[in-house]
Amino acid sequence: MEIFYTPKHARVGDAIPFYDGNQFRIFYLKNWNPYFGSDRTNGWHMLTTRDHLHFEETATGIRGGTGSVIEVNGTYHLFYCVFERNPQRQYICHATSPDLKTWTDCPEDKFGPDESIYLLTDWRDPFVFPAPDGRGWWMLTSAQAQGSTSRRGCVGLCRSDDLHQWTCLPPFYAPEEYMAAYECPDLFFLNGWWYLIFSQSGNRFQTTYRMSRSLNGPWIRPDVDSFDGRAFYAAKTASDGQTRYL
């Protein structure tokens, strides 16, 4: 039993929790120490737990950055991001699985931001959930908005009817406060409030949140708007229907 899970020869980065009916699956980005043994497998790894104390780990074969996982009609969808250089670009990608063990990438679904709305250099950390109107799906992203201000950090928004083709929409949340992108966005409804969670490294390194009665805002910044302390970063949530964990 470990209070904090630590993989052998590696470190845990960017936990991506998902509740699969009767147990939690905590995906994470495996950050290997200088180690090149035969058991090294890069990319996303999945931890399975019922009690948050005992964990079983499985490699997914997906290589990329933070994202989210959902289940629709018996098929699991994993959304993640990749980074390219020369020129510097970021893209959102999609993979599917029938069992959370074997994943098939969908290279045709890879897409970047609409250049008329967002900068090309920040487009990552997709968080996918059912559209509020019950038709299709929404995706929140870590992004920077186009515009004259240098305070471009925002939570981007996309919409899809089928989880494969996405249309970029104006930012979901863009207060023009920070120059850096808002990372690892997460959204949920609890006790009459919508909570928007994100991490921001522009002037502090913390997981923060905003709250609103409506998805249309206004978004309230509480007096204490962070979870835990500095360096508690890139946190995301999941719920079993009774308790929500961060």
Side-chain angles (χ1 to χ4, degrees):
M1 182 182 75
E2 296 177 274
I3 295 178
F4 299 109
Y5 179 78
T6 303
K8 186 178 181 180
H9 304 308
R11 296 172 181 171
V12 173
D14 287 23
I16 304 152
F18 168 66
Y19 186 70
D20 185 29
N22 63 355
Q23 59 186 321
F24 283 91
R25 317 277 188 168
I26 304 173
F27 296 84
Y28 79 96
L29 308 184
K30 196 162 190 175
N31 182 12
W32 290 90
N33 291 325
Y35 173 76
F36 299 94
S38 60
D39 61 340
R40 173 169 176 158
T41 305
N42 291 322
W44 280 48
H45 285 63
M46 181 181 72
L47 303 176
T48 299
T49 183
R50 295 183 184 276
D51 58 9
H52 301 285
L53 295 173
H54 302 85
F55 299 91
E56 178 183 350
E57 180 172 306
T58 305
T60 67
I62 298 297
R63 301 186 64 178
T66 307
S68 59
V69 177
I70 61 171
E71 183 271 330
V72 181
N73 298 326
T75 297
Y76 297 93
H77 298 261
L78 186 156
F79 294 88
Y80 63 103
C81 54
V82 295
F83 307 85
E84 297 186 359
R85 302 182 183 278
N86 299 321
Q88 182 178 346
R89 294 288 302 269
Q90 297 179 6
Y91 296 90
I92 290 170
C93 300
H94 180 206
T96 61
S97 172
D99 55 11
L100 288 171
K101 297 178 181 178
T102 303
W103 292 91
T104 301
D105 202 18
C106 305
E108 66 278 8
D109 293 352
K110 175 180 175 183
F111 74 101
D114 183 330
E115 297 181 44
S116 68
I117 305 174
Y118 302 102
L119 299 186
L120 302 178
T121 53
D122 289 278
W123 190 247
R124 57 188 182 273
D125 307 345
F127 175 76
V128 176
F129 59 100
D133 61 7
R135 296 177 294 183
W137 305 88
W138 279 17
M139 175 191 291
L140 303 183
T141 67
S142 172
Q144 289 202 57
Q146 295 280 8
S148 57
T149 178
S150 61
R151 299 173 181 265
R152 296 170 172 156
C154 69
V155 175
L157 178 63
C158 301
R159 181 161 188 161
S160 174
D161 292 327
D162 59 6
L163 294 171
H164 293 277
Q165 301 298 317
W166 293 87
T167 299
C168 292
L169 302 175
F172 179 79
Y173 178 71
E176 297 185 350
E177 291 181 351
Y178 300 117
M179 298 173 68
Y182 290 9
E183 296 190 301
C184 300
D186 186 11
L187 180 74
F188 60 88
F189 186 77
L190 181 66
N191 296 332
W193 291 90
W194 286 98
Y195 289 89
L196 173 65
I197 296 176
F198 54 83
S199 292
Q200 214 286 320
S201 61
N203 66 344
R204 54 179 174 156
F205 205 80
Q206 288 183 292
T207 301
T208 58
Y209 74 97
R210 303 291 183 264
M211 52 197 297
S212 175
R213 294 292 188 184
S214 167
L215 286 176
N216 295 321
W219 291 93
I220 298 170
R221 177 178 181 172
D223 292 338
V224 179
D225 68 341
S226 61
F227 296 100
D228 206 289
R230 292 177 64 85
F232 184 61
Y233 196 83
K236 295 168 71 72
T237 76
S239 174
D240 58 6
Q242 297 182 345
T243 304
R244 182 163 291 272
Y245 297 89
L246 180 74

